[in-house]
Amino acid sequence: NAGVTQTPKFRILKIGQSMTLQCTQDMNHNYMYWYRQDPGMGLKLIYYSVGAGITDKGEVPNGYNVSRSTTEDFPLRLELAAPSQTSVYFCASRTGTGDRGYTFGSGTRLTVV
Amino acid sequence: GNSVTQMEGPVTLSEEAFLTINCTYTATGYPSLFWYVQYPGEGLQLLLKATKADDKGSNKGFEATYRKETTSFHLEKGSVQVSDSAVYFCALRGGGSNYKLTFGKGTLLTVNP
């Protein structure tokens, strides 16, 4: 059982470039999330989805876009990368029933120069 | 809105010392409370949880009790090991934001042999 898989693990972007961070889960979880982790700041929610075709903004959505065409995939798109988007990005998922917590991916470390 | 406040780190202990990491929260209603652990270079893993007042979550020798009267969920371990060195995050879900986890800023624990 692979859990939540994120690619790539590391990436360096130039200012103004675009990229997509991939996230896939094989647990048939309805809920999926994107967080960014900045040093000493904990995790901030960027976007989340409660099921295929449904997405909503979190605390810090500016500069990002998401889509959820399937249950398994929840890609995060950065358009016009800025240095402020340098961070570690985590994708997470959870089942919609019970309270078993989230399953996190191993993260993508992004640097914008 | 919901918020989580953790004690400032870093925390440095010797092996077999007693650990307490304080966590207090603000939320409406009756949130579920979690502790997550992040080992170097990895994503977050659920350590323990409690879903109602006076519940005690426990795992791997760690414990935390949901105290509604003091809005706290302090993490404790009687005898830490070097392998416990990690960043610990307190989090809550619910209280009006059932879909989303709200995280504290994290506490870095280093255990020396």
Side-chain angles (χ1 to χ4, degrees):
Chain A
N1 203 349
V4 177
T5 302
Q6 289 184 240
T7 57
K9 292 190 181 301
F10 303 93
R11 183 72 185 268
I12 298 174
L13 278 183
K14 293 184 178 179
I15 294 172
Q17 287 186 319
S18 300
M19 77 164 293
T20 299
L21 281 65
Q22 302 292 344
C23 176
T24 300
Q25 53 91 9
D26 62 357
M27 298 170 286
N28 202 33
H29 285 172
N30 291 327
Y31 297 88
M32 295 188 74
Y33 307 82
W34 275 106
Y35 285 88
R36 58 178 287 173
Q37 182 181 29
D38 299 317
M41 297 301 294
L43 281 78
K44 298 292 186 183
L45 181 64
I46 305 171
Y47 270 96
Y48 67 99
S49 169
V50 301
I54 306 170
T55 63
D56 207 348
K57 296 177 180 179
E59 303 169 79
V60 290
N62 291 342
Y64 307 95
N65 277 300
V66 294
S67 60
R68 184 91 182 274
S69 57
T70 66
T71 298
E72 294 79 19
D73 299 310
F74 190 42
L76 177 71
R77 178 81 177 163
L78 278 71
E79 308 279 3
L80 299 175
S84 61
Q85 294 178 305
T86 294
S87 189
V88 181
Y89 292 84
F90 287 101
C91 180
S93 72
R94 74 173 184 93
T95 180
T97 58
D99 213 339
R100 301 185 187 90
Y102 290 16
T103 300
F104 280 81
S106 58
T108 296
R109 183 175 295 276
L110 175 67
T111 302
V112 182
V113 296
Chain B
N2 297 335
S3 67
V4 176
T5 303
Q6 284 181 241
M7 65 184 285
E8 295 283 333
V11 174
T12 303
L13 296 173
S14 297
E15 205 164 24
E16 299 184 0
F18 184 84
L19 169 70
T20 300
I21 301 178
N22 290 338
C23 171
T24 58
Y25 67 89
T26 301
T28 56
Y30 301 94
S32 296
L33 302 173
F34 304 85
W35 276 100
Y36 281 81
V37 59
Q38 184 181 29
Y39 298 104
E42 298 183 10
L44 280 71
Q45 303 173 26
L46 179 64
L47 179 60
L48 54 83
K49 66 176 183 179
T51 58
K52 62 182 187 296
D54 300 325
D55 268 2
K56 177 185 282 188
S58 61
N59 186 27
K60 300 181 180 179
F62 291 90
E63 294 183 338
T65 301
Y66 189 143
R67 301 287 187 200
K68 188 166 176 60
E69 64 275 12
T70 54
T71 61
S72 64
F73 193 55
H74 305 322
L75 182 68
E76 296 181 338
K77 187 174 185 181
S79 176
V80 294
Q81 305 300 312
V82 172
S83 57
D84 293 327
S85 297
V87 181
Y88 293 82
F89 292 91
C90 186
L92 71 83
R93 188 179 71 85
S97 300
N98 281 327
Y99 300 141
K100 299 169 284 186
L101 276 177
T102 299
F103 287 89
K105 293 185 177 181
T107 302
L108 173 63
L109 170 66
T110 302
V111 181
N112 295 318

